[in-house]
Structures are given as C-alpha cells and as structure tokens.
C-alpha cells in the first residue's frame, strides 16, 4: 500500500473529508464537479496546502499529520498541471531538467535524463525550444516528462487533458495511458471528465461536496452510479425506489417494472437510448409506459437528447430522423416506454 | 516620462472599429494636454543657444555635475534593487501580518514632498540625528553633505517607485509557477532565484529605469540632506537651478543635457522592456 491519506480541509464553504488509498502502480481517478474539493485534495497531497486534519503517508514516510508537515519541495512527487505550467523563460530541456537540478543532480546528468524523457514522450529534438513554441499537446507531454523524470513515489495529475482540443486530447490520453502503465508509483488523477477517468484509472473515487459518494472500478461506477451527478456523467438516468418482487415503487412517485426480483431500497439505472417515444400509447403490453411531457431537446451527436418531465422523469435519446418524424416541440405530450430487461437495478 | 506609451497611439488608434474617431469632448482636452506637456520642452529646444553649445558644455563643472548625477542615480538604483525587490516580494507574496500597513508606509515617500524627506533624513542620519550621532561617535563619519548622502536621499525618494512596480509585476505573475517549482523540489529561495525573478525581470527592469530616472531628477531631498557642493553633492538638477540665477543660457544647456538623458531612458524603456513585456 503506497499512498494512504485522510485529508481534512475546512476553508470557507468547503468542508473536505476524504480517505484515499492508492497501491504502487495503481492509478486512482478522483472525479467530481467543480467546487467539490478535488483541487484542494491534490494540493494537500502535493504539500502546497496544509490540511486542517488527517494524515498523508507514502510508503513508511509520514508527509502530513497533526504534528508533521513535509513541505512540497521535500516530497518525492511529480505533478502535472492543467495548463502545463512549463517555465516560459527556460527551454523545454531545462524545464525537464529543473527537478533533477534542484535535487542536486549535476548539470550534464540532469540534461541527459531530460533528453531521455523527452524522447520517451515523443519530443526528441524539440528540447531547445521555448514552451511557447510548442503545441498544447507537446507542452502537456513535456510537462509529463518533467513530472516523471525524478522517478517520484507519487504522481499527481490535475486535469491534465482538459486544456487540450478534442483531437489532441485523444492522442495525449492514449500516450498518458501508456506512461501510467509503466509508472511504478502511485498516481492520483483529478478530473471532471468521466472519459479520462474510465480510460486512465484502475479505480475511481467520486467526490461531491467534500465527501466520497462512490468508489469502485471504472466499470462499476459507469454501470451502477449512486448519485445523480455520476449518473449524468456516465449518461444514465438514476431512479431511486423501494423494490418488491419485480416492481420498484419510486421515491418520487410512480413505479417501474424490472426483470429481476428485488427487495428493499434500490437504484434503477436507465440508459437514454433504451427509452422509446410514441405520440400515442404504444400497443401491445409493455409494462413500463408513462405519459410525459418534453421539457427540452438538445442535439447530441447523431441523436437528439430529450429530457422528459412527468411522474417518472426520464431522458430519451432518439435519432434525429425519428425526432423529426415525431414532430416534437418542447411542451409536447409523449408516451415513453422502456423494456424491463433494459433496466439495471441494484441495491442502494 | 512615466507614460511610455506615446499620446499619439491613444488619440489616433490603428483600428477604427468602434465607430472610429474620438469624440470632441475627449479630443480637445486631450490635445490641450499634449500641448501642455510638450510645449515647455519645445521652448527649451527653441531657446537653446545651439551655436554656443560646444563651449557651454565644455565649461568646468558641467561634466562634473553630470558624472555625479549619473553615478549617484545609478548607485541609488542599485541600493533600491537590493532592498526594494525583496521588499516587493514580501508585500506581494508573504503572509506577514500588517502587510497593508507596511505597503502604506513604503509608499509614503511617493507622496511626501522631497524637501520634507530631506529634513527627516537629516533628523535621523545627521550628526546630531538619532542614528547619525551614534554613527559619528563610533566611526567619526558624518553622512550629510557627502556624495553618500546624495545616494541616500535619492534612494529614499526613488525606491518606492521600484517597489510599487515590482510588486505589481509579482502580483501579475502567475504564482502557480512557484507551486510547480515547489513540486520539482525547489525551496522558496531557489524558486525565487530560478523562477520568480526571471518571470518578473521585465517588471524589475521597468521599475529600475523609473527609479533611476526619478533619482536623476531628485532635487529637494538632495539639497536639504546633502547640500550643494560642486564636485561632491551638486547634481545636475541643483546645478541647473543655481545656474539659472546667474546665467540663464547655461541653465538651458544643462537642462538640455538632462532632457537628452531622460529621453534616451524613455526610448530604452520602451524598446527594450515595455515592448517585449507587453507581448508576453
């Protein structure tokens, strides 16, 4: 067990109280909305912010406790920032060599290590440039090299991809995945993008309002969200209710039929693409049919995402063609139906 | 000389995008303002005894006063840099209690009449002064009326310009670069030397030039605290003032020299630092 942390920060409206454990070679993604305390958490781990309580321990070394505060520059860590923060007055090589230099490596050895890492992130030959002469993707690669060159015990990544445009993001994400795979220490990735978390992390922790609301593997979190925020992130609609047999009585009113027997408090996760819309009540005997009202419709790739209001608030993804054929306008009455077998149901 | 952006570029902007032109209620006072600032300088140029310039400049005392001015202003700038940059850092970055009080105290010399500053320096550093007496008894050295006193007086008046401008540069610089340096193993001193200082170098340079120009023109504190002895404490502004009493022609020549030095400083400031600083 490499990183073990219990971080307590009280600052204005933020009350952060989070426990984390990250093994060697493991990547933990911390997912959460803005203001949830992700950045404060990372700053505490980096030693840039002294926590109001708790403990940060890496291997056998205590970095933070009520009696100990190891300042950032004495911690064995590497950090990648959202907008790379390469020093503009130094060349790319000097940026990467900065850490080894401050930690006492002689200049030639530090430069050699920097050149080596620049080659590993695909920037061989660009070391003499200034950061301003790099593209966004190149700068973020250089920042990764700068963070990793010192072989830190802990790697912190603060929204490392969110400043990049969509295409660059895809390639840098893939490269980052490869480098994280090779990295032997513990890594903590803070992000508000579920795709980053799913693609890069071995485990995900979701923080809302300073607390952990869900933890698990990316697949678990994506399949079985436990809060509306997580459900929205992974593109699901979450309904909470009480299960009896194959029937779930929703807390907000109404009922949903599911395919398996359930008992007690449960969540029902609905995939928007499994919801079908009709102008008239559909014939046959679907068990889950509700008359709803179209609250909003927004184009979403090749589909139109329809937010529906009514007894069971749902979201439906319909193809642009179907949407046009239905001739729906906001406020229109529609029938929504979803097969019981399409629903995921799990205990609360 | 504190407005390195020429009035021309404000009055006649390159882009006439927003309806173009300058409204008359702004244009007329602006033109009057330019005239007010530029006409006295033109008068100086018009009235200058151009044919007699060489002999006038070669008169004894002129070179001496100019050399003394340049040397003392430069020394005052060096002292201001050594003390002022750390002070600006404390004001901009540290968590010291009472920083706002400190800042107010530091900026007092900006608004204080320089003569008052000279009197205050005299009371503290004079032979009978609070510190000066102790200094005199210990070493037999008395500060007032020496070249060192000129440097002290100029530093007192000019250093706040440097502090304010460096503090502004520090505040404008992204402090997260310092966080990044800390995560790379740099303690605060290393971070200051290798990251902060290079980042705010343009601001420091601009502040140093301002400080130097202010020191060069210093009159009131210098004449009060250092006196007016040719060769040791008589700087150019003092020479100009005294020469004006008996030989106006010579005073114009001396003024022209100061004007030339100031304009050269302004051009240096513009091209070397402000131009680049504005881009990055």
């Amino acid at each position: 067990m490499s990183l073990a942390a219990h971080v307590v920060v009280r600052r204005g409206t933020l009350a952060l109280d989070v426990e984390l454990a990250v093994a060697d070679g493991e990547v933990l993604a911390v997912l959460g909305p803005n203001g949830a305390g992700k950045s404060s958490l990372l700053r505490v781990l980096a030693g840039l912010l002294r926590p109001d309580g708790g403990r940060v321990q890496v291997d056998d070394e205590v970095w933070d406790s009520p009696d100990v505060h190891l300042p950032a520059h004495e911690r064995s860590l590497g950090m990648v920032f959202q907008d790379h923060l390469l020093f503009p007055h130094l060349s790319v090589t000097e940026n990467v060599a900065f850490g080894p230099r401050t930690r006492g490596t002689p200049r030639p050895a530090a430069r050699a290590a920097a050149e080596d890492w620049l080659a590993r992130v695909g920037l061989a030959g660009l070391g003499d440039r200034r950061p301003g002469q790099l593209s966004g993707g190149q700068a973020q690669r250089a920042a990764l090299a700068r963070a990793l060159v010192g072989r830190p015990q802990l790697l912190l990544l603060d929204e490392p991809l969110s400043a990049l445009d969509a295409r660059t993001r895809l390639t840098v994400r893939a490269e980052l995945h490869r480098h994280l795979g090779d990295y032997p220490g513990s890594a903590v990735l803070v992000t508000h993008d579920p795709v980053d978390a799913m693609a890069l992390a071995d485990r995900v922790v979701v923080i809302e309002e300073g607390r952990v609301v869900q933890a698990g593997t990316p697949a678990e979190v994506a399949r079985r969200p436990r809060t509306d925020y997580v459900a929205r992130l992974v593109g699901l609609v979450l309904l909470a209710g009480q299960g009896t047999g194959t029937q779930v009585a929703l807390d907000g009113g109404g009922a949903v039929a599911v395919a398996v027997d359930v008992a007690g408090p449960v969540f029902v996760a609905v995939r928007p693409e499994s919801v079908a819309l009709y102008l008239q009540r559909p014939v046959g005997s679907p068990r889950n049919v509700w008359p709803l009202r179209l609250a909003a419709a927004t184009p979403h790739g090749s589909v139109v995402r329809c937010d529906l209001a009514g007894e069971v608030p749902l979201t439906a993804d319909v193809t642009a063609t179907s949407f046009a054929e239905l001739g729906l306008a906001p406020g229109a009455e529609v029938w929504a139906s979803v097969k019981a077998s399409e629903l995921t149901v799990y205990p609360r | 000389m504190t407005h390195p952006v020429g009035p021309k570029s404000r009055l006649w902007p390159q882009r006439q995008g927003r309806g173009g032109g300058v409204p008359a209620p702004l244009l007329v006072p602006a033109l009057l303002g330019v005239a007010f600032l530029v006409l006295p300088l033109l008068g100086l140029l018009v009235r200058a005894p151009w044919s007699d310039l060489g002999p006038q400049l070669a008169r004894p005392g002129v070179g001496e006063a100019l050399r003394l001015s340049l040397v003392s202003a430069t020394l005052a700038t060096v002292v201001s840099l050594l003390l002022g940059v750390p002070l600006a850092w404390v004001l901009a970055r540290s968590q010291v209690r009472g920083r706002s009080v400190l800042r107010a105290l530091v900026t007092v010399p900006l608004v204080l009449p320089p003569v008052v500053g000279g009197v205050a320096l005299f009371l503290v550093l004079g032979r009978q002064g609070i510190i000066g007496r102790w200094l005199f008894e210990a070493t037999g050295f008395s500060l007032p009326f020496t070249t060192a006193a000129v440097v002290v007086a100029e530093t007192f008046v000019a250093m706040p310009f440097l502090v304010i401008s460096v503090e502004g540069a520090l505040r404008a610089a992204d402090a997260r670069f310092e966080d990044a340096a800390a995560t790379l193993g740099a303690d605060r001193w290393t971070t200051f030397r290798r990251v902060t200082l290079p980042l705010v170098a343009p601001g420091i340079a601009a502040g140093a030039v301002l400080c130097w120009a202010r020191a060069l023109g210093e009159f009131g504190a210098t004449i009060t605290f250092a006196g007016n002895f040719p060769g040791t404490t008589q700087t150019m502004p003092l020479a100009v003032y005294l020469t004006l009493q008996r030989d106006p022609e010579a005073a114009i020549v001396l003024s022209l020299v100061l004007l030339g030095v100031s304009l050269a400083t302004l051009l240096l400031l513009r091209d070397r630092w402000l131009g680049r600083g504005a881009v990055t």
Side-chain angles (χ1 to χ4, degrees):
Chain A
M1 191 54 59
S2 185
L3 167 72
H6 175 205
V7 174
V8 179
V9 176
R10 281 177 292 269
R11 185 150 294 211
T13 55
L14 174 69
L16 181 72
D17 189 338
V18 167
E19 283 190 59
L20 300 176
V22 190
D24 275 339
E26 191 182 30
V27 180
L28 175 76
V30 178
L31 200 59
N34 288 333
K38 307 189 298 286
S39 296
S40 298
L41 173 65
L42 215 56
R43 288 180 65 79
V44 167
L45 295 180
L48 297 169
L49 177 65
R50 188 161 189 176
D52 296 304
R55 183 182 176 85
V56 176
Q57 185 168 346
V58 173
D59 294 334
D60 295 331
E61 205 182 348
V62 177
W63 285 7
D64 265 309
S65 75
D67 319 313
V68 179
H69 174 69
L70 200 65
H73 66 267
E74 290 174 23
R75 299 185 177 201
S76 168
L77 62 87
M79 188 156 175
V80 178
F81 298 85
Q82 180 176 349
D83 38 1
H84 65 75
L85 292 182
L86 294 171
F87 305 127
H89 60 287
L90 299 178
S91 73
V92 173
T93 301
E94 286 165 341
N95 261 284
V96 179
F98 187 95
R101 287 290 293 139
T102 59
R103 294 188 165 107
T105 309
R107 189 183 300 268
R111 281 193 73 91
E115 302 285 359
D116 177 40
W117 267 99
L118 285 175
R120 286 167 85 164
V121 298
L123 295 180
L126 299 184
D128 290 334
R129 295 204 187 172
R130 298 272 153 167
Q133 296 168 303
L134 298 182
S135 71
Q138 288 170 336
Q140 206 50 289
R141 289 185 188 102
L144 182 67
R146 184 174 73 167
L148 286 173
V149 66
R151 307 193 170 283
Q153 289 170 278
L154 180 64
L155 179 66
L156 303 173
L157 304 133
D158 187 5
E159 306 266 7
L161 303 172
S162 63
L164 304 176
D165 63 70
R167 201 146 47 104
T168 317
R169 199 169 180 159
L170 216 59
T171 51
V172 176
R173 184 188 290 135
E175 289 169 24
L176 184 57
H177 185 242
R178 186 162 55 81
H179 291 295
L180 286 174
D182 294 340
Y183 172 66
S186 321
V188 178
L189 162 75
V190 155
T191 178
H192 64 263
D193 183 345
V195 181
D196 289 347
M198 303 302 157
L200 298 172
D202 302 309
R203 271 192 313 124
V204 176
V205 162
V206 183
I207 297 185
E208 282 178 56
E209 291 173 354
R211 307 278 154 164
V212 174
V213 292
Q214 186 163 7
T217 66
E220 275 167 18
V221 173
R223 258 192 20 251
R224 301 186 157 194
R226 305 196 72 82
T227 71
D228 280 334
Y229 165 75
V230 185
R232 261 200 315 281
L233 275 186
V234 299
L236 297 176
V237 172
L238 195 61
L239 303 169
Q242 296 288 331
T244 323
T246 58
Q247 197 73 11
V248 176
L250 298 178
D251 294 350
V256 182
V258 293
V260 291
D261 277 332
V262 289
V266 292
F267 282 120
V268 179
V270 188
R271 286 182 299 114
E273 62 269 30
S274 70
V275 178
L277 297 186
Y278 306 90
L279 289 177
Q280 270 90 41
R281 188 184 174 97
V283 292
S285 58
R287 288 157 69 204
N288 292 321
V289 178
W290 304 280
L292 300 174
R293 192 166 37 75
L294 182 66
T298 43
H300 213 268
S302 62
V303 298
V304 178
R305 176 152 290 184
C306 303
D307 290 318
L308 305 166
E311 192 177 29
V312 179
L314 284 177
T315 299
D317 280 352
V318 297
T319 63
T321 326
S322 322
F323 186 77
E325 281 168 7
L326 286 167
L328 292 175
E333 304 287 333
V334 289
W335 289 86
S337 130
V338 58
K339 289 180 182 158
S341 57
E342 296 274 8
L343 299 171
T344 313
V345 58
Y346 45 95
R348 265 203 262 181
Chain B
M1 104 181 33
T2 56
H3 298 285
V5 176
K8 224 176 172 177
S9 60
R10 295 251 170 90
L11 277 178
W12 293 283
Q14 306 280 310
R15 285 172 294 155
Q16 300 269 322
R18 258 180 279 160
V22 182
L26 296 180
L27 185 62
V28 173
L31 287 174
L32 280 175
V34 173
F36 178 72
L37 293 176
V38 172
L39 278 180
L41 302 182
L42 288 179
L44 201 57
L45 292 177
V46 168
R47 287 290 307 278
W50 292 105
S51 53
D52 201 21
L53 206 57
Q56 287 279 13
L57 281 175
R59 276 159 54 135
V62 174
E64 208 167 45
L66 182 61
R67 189 191 55 81
L68 182 67
S69 277
L70 295 177
V71 167
S72 56
T74 305
L75 284 175
T77 306
V78 170
V79 175
S80 296
L81 281 169
L82 291 176
L83 305 180
V85 172
L87 178 53
W89 188 90
V90 169
L91 290 178
R93 285 283 191 278
S94 73
Q95 311 289 327
V96 174
R97 275 168 179 276
R99 262 189 314 164
S100 49
V101 177
L102 198 61
R103 185 180 300 110
L105 290 175
V106 166
T107 47
V108 164
L110 277 180
V111 294
L112 195 71
V115 176
V116 179
V119 171
L121 284 173
F122 200 80
L123 291 178
V124 173
L125 296 172
R127 193 177 290 190
Q128 301 300 317
I130 302 162
I131 297 173
R133 178 185 315 176
W134 169 83
L135 186 73
F136 182 65
E137 281 165 9
T139 64
F141 174 72
S142 174
L143 190 60
F145 314 117
T146 62
T147 305
V150 176
V151 175
V152 168
E154 290 181 353
T155 305
F156 180 81
V157 172
M159 190 165 78
F161 286 86
L162 180 100
V163 174
I164 296 297
S165 101
V166 175
E167 193 202 343
L170 281 168
R171 287 190 183 283
D174 194 339
R176 292 178 313 145
F177 282 114
E178 293 164 18
D179 288 347
T183 67
L184 293 168
D187 59 29
R188 298 202 89 176
W189 172 236
T190 308
T191 302
F192 175 76
R193 279 188 303 118
R194 296 204 49 206
V195 175
T196 315
L197 217 48
L199 282 178
V200 298
I204 293 177
V209 172
L210 267 181
C211 169
W212 186 83
R214 180 67 190 85
L216 189 73
E218 218 300 302
F219 180 87
T222 309
I223 202 164
T224 316
F225 183 53
N228 180 29
F229 301 106
T232 50
T233 71
Q234 192 183 74
T235 56
M236 285 294 277
L238 274 58
V240 169
Y241 181 72
L242 284 153
T243 312
L244 191 62
Q245 319 282 317
R246 49 178 171 79
D247 186 356
E249 293 268 290
I252 293 172
V253 172
L254 292 177
S255 301
L256 271 183
V257 173
L258 268 185
L259 177 65
V261 172
S262 305
L263 283 180
T265 310
L266 173 62
L267 289 176
L268 199 68
L269 181 78
R270 233 180 101 112
D271 296 345
R272 272 298 197 59
W273 294 303
L274 285 191
R276 208 195 306 161
V279 173
T280 51

